[in-house]
Amino acid sequence: MGKLIKNHWARLIILTAAAYQIAASISAIFWPKIFWDFLTKNLDGAVKPVPILQIINLSLGLLGLAWEWPLKYVGGTVFHRSIEARLVVYPLSSLAALLLYQGTNPGLYYLIGMGVYFWAFSEGEVSLSFLLGSGMRGVGSESAG
């Protein structure tokens, strides 16, 4: 059996969380609700009448999707290869998602993905996109020659 590549597994979890966060933020524009409204009504101003939290969630979801599934000119850059940068930005995405009622699942997915990224980082794994920057254009592709 092969070795588990944890940063690739975390990448797939974060992709799922980001796609789910985008869907949750669009849904929350039509049905605004804070998850913690049973404790306090102070946070209701973040979702209605102006959908501030929904827009923040939409932008963070798009950022997560663009970061984990990048375009050709983004893949392989220093920012894209950095697991440390992911461990800084994704807690903010998780917090924003957990505040929104529709975003509790992606918030939990972000937490799981961050845990797996931290596991990969603590074992010294290098991001698979590092291979893109060194001339290899796909994981598992063999060069004929």
Side-chain angles (χ1 to χ4, degrees), residues 14-20 22 59-71 90 110:
I14 297 292
L15 274 171
T16 305
Y20 202 154
I22 292 169
S59 60
L60 287 173
L62 289 172
L63 174 72
L65 202 62
W67 200 349
E68 296 297 339
W69 195 7
L71 299 172
Y90 289 148
Y110 273 120

Side-chain angles (χ1 to χ4, degrees), residues 117-137:
Y117 263 132
F118 184 74
W119 183 17
F121 177 71
S122 65
E123 288 190 356
E125 278 191 21
V126 180
S127 178
L128 289 176
S129 61
F130 181 71
L131 300 173
L132 293 174
S134 63
M136 188 173 170
R137 289 291 164 210

Side-chain angles (χ1 to χ4, degrees), residues 13-65:
I13 294 170
I14 297 292
L15 274 171
T16 305
Y20 202 154
Q21 186 178 22
I22 292 169
S25 65
I26 292 171
S27 171
I29 289 173
F30 298 108
W31 299 283
K33 186 170 171 81
I34 289 285
F35 180 69
W36 305 101
D37 68 345
F38 60 91
L39 294 176
T40 180
K41 300 290 183 193
N42 292 337
L43 297 172
D44 283 349
V47 292
K48 54 186 175 184
V50 180
I52 297 168
L53 189 58
Q54 293 93 320
I55 293 170
I56 291 171
N57 271 294
L58 183 64
S59 60
L60 287 173
L62 289 172
L63 174 72
L65 202 62

